[in-house]
Amino acid sequence: MNDQTTPAPSATITALRRPHDIRGLSLNALHLVMAMRLCALFERAGRDPVPDLAQRYRSVEAACAVHGLVRTIVHTWPEPFMVNRPCCLAMTPDEVTLAGMTRSAIAADRAGFAAMLDGFVRTDRHEALHEATRHAVASLSAVA
């Protein structure tokens, strides 16, 4: 038998293990998580999501900003971004991270944003993610 104990999981991993309900999100975080889910569906169907996002947000600018964030995440995330179906109330760990990124962008907490991604997303990609998140949040706030 092995007497070695396994190290306790970090607070971040422990938090991600807990199921998170989409109904507890702010409106902007909910919009961004749902946009990720819708974009995944549109990609599988071979359709451009921007027209539908523009109709949803009643703004082409907001739709383009949100889609820009989605594209930035797809290009900078270290692995495929996992989403649930749009009807699902539970969030994936990636969606929980996106909600946290949104909270940090709203609070203008650049250090918190970086700390959330530290050790998961390469540091040289943080700036692109921060700017895309900040732009998407600002665009959504302008139409709300």
Side-chain angles (χ1 to χ4, degrees), residues 16 36 69-83 92-102 113 116-118 120-122 125-126 128-130 133:
L16 289 174
M36 288 296 296
L69 172 60
V70 170
R71 286 192 322 262
T72 301
I73 288 172
V74 167
H75 287 98
T76 60
W77 224 245
E79 57 193 33
F81 192 94
M82 300 303 293
V83 296
T92 67
D94 287 334
E95 291 172 334
V96 172
T97 303
L98 175 59
M101 290 165 50
T102 304
F113 188 94
M116 181 180 321
L117 297 175
D118 197 33
F120 177 61
V121 175
R122 289 182 5 203
R125 297 177 177 185
H126 289 192
L129 284 167
H130 183 260
T133 304

Side-chain angles (χ1 to χ4, degrees), residues 9-90:
S10 74
T12 302
I13 292 172
T14 301
L16 289 174
R17 283 184 184 163
R18 274 185 282 121
H20 293 270
D21 192 314
I22 200 165
R23 294 173 291 188
L25 296 177
S26 68
L27 185 58
N28 280 335
L30 176 63
H31 279 308
L32 294 180
V33 169
M34 289 304 294
M36 288 296 296
R37 292 176 177 189
L38 292 172
C39 286
L41 288 175
F42 283 112
E43 183 174 321
R44 276 188 234 128
R47 289 182 46 203
D48 179 8
V50 173
D52 288 279
L53 292 174
Q55 183 177 8
R56 180 188 235 2
Y57 305 131
R58 288 174 263 141
S59 167
V60 173
E61 182 181 344
C64 289
V66 168
H67 190 244
L69 172 60
V70 170
R71 286 192 322 262
T72 301
I73 288 172
V74 167
H75 287 98
T76 60
W77 224 245
E79 57 193 33
F81 192 94
M82 300 303 293
V83 296
N84 279 331
R85 293 182 305 254
C87 61
C88 188
L89 296 177

